[in-house]
Amino acid sequence: MVEHLLPVVFAVALWWGSTGLILRLDWLPRATFRWTMLGATALLAAGVAGLAWSAQERSLAAVYLGLVSAILAWGWIEIAFLTGFVTGPRRVACPPEARGWVRLRAAIAVILWHELAIVAVGVVVALITLDAPNPYGGVAFLALAAMRLSAKLNLFLGVRNFGEAMLPEHLRYLETYFARRRMNALFPFSVLGGTAACVGLIATAAAPGSDVVTATGHTLLASLIALGVLEHAFMVLPVPPEALYRRILPARPVAFPDDLHVPSRGVVPRAAVSKPHGSRP
């Protein structure tokens, strides 16, 4: 029982705490971003070293260290993007008239360096972990990357909630690349894929022949992917994802899920969001 319950609690606490810390750091004055990136880079180095060491050790401590190390490496990816250090060659809003391939190319240019950074770090992580006795840390990083790619695609194609209140001011132009719809054609496959992965991992963890390391490692991965599925669910539920971090984020008017009368591409105008329904412009 411990090998199943403790990993779930550990993964949830690590996920929520690390995400909250990153959001808080990215809401500090921009003058602090250099120090934030310096600290994140040091933690990235520690994460890669932790992944390299833990991958060669098949023990409970190594499995937990692998997950922590994967989160440290992924934290650098998130901080580099949210601080604006690693985004893309395009740093302006999407042209209102952009459609189809024009909009897609513009959206890719906005996050191109960020995506290449994920690929670069992912290759390093895969090389040092996936053929090792304890690959759980590397698989955790790749799972985070896959779920985040799915989230970006769904935001581009259209969802109910953007989570725009979690974007710092210097990245607010990203909202213009999102589309507001109740759901898109990719979304069910994203959720089904994540859910199927969770079920498969849990089945292996609970199998009679699984040792404690296998049970713990698979439960940690299942928990992490389940949290990614939860993030996807918040995209279409009538509750904005920033509700999880209400005490951390500064107050800001956001688009509410019922405001679906806006065009299929774009965001809710700020004036419409900040005023009650029925008020004069």
Side-chain angles (χ1 to χ4, degrees), residues 12 39 48 61 68 111 121 125 131 146 168 170 178 186 214 218 243 247 257 266 276:
V12 171
V48 172
V68 172
I111 59 172
V121 177
V125 169
D131 286 333
H170 57 275
F178 304 157
L186 174 64
T214 299
H218 279 66
R247 293 180 178 273

Side-chain angles (χ1 to χ4, degrees), residues 20-92:
L21 176 60
I22 290 171
L23 290 174
R24 192 60 185 171
L25 288 172
D26 288 321
W27 276 93
L28 294 176
R30 297 192 70 175
T32 67
F33 285 0
R34 289 185 180 181
W35 296 105
T36 299
M37 274 304 298
L38 182 63
T41 303
L43 292 177
L44 170 63
V48 172
L51 284 167
W53 181 86
S54 64
Q56 303 304 320
E57 300 290 328
R58 188 167 176 79
S59 66
L60 280 179
V63 170
Y64 281 105
L65 177 60
L67 180 64
V68 172
S69 299
I71 295 295
L72 290 178
W74 185 256
W76 184 89
I77 296 291
E78 294 286 0
I79 288 173
F81 181 74
L82 291 173
T83 55
F85 278 94
V86 183
T87 55
R90 182 182 181 88
R91 292 173 177 255
V92 296

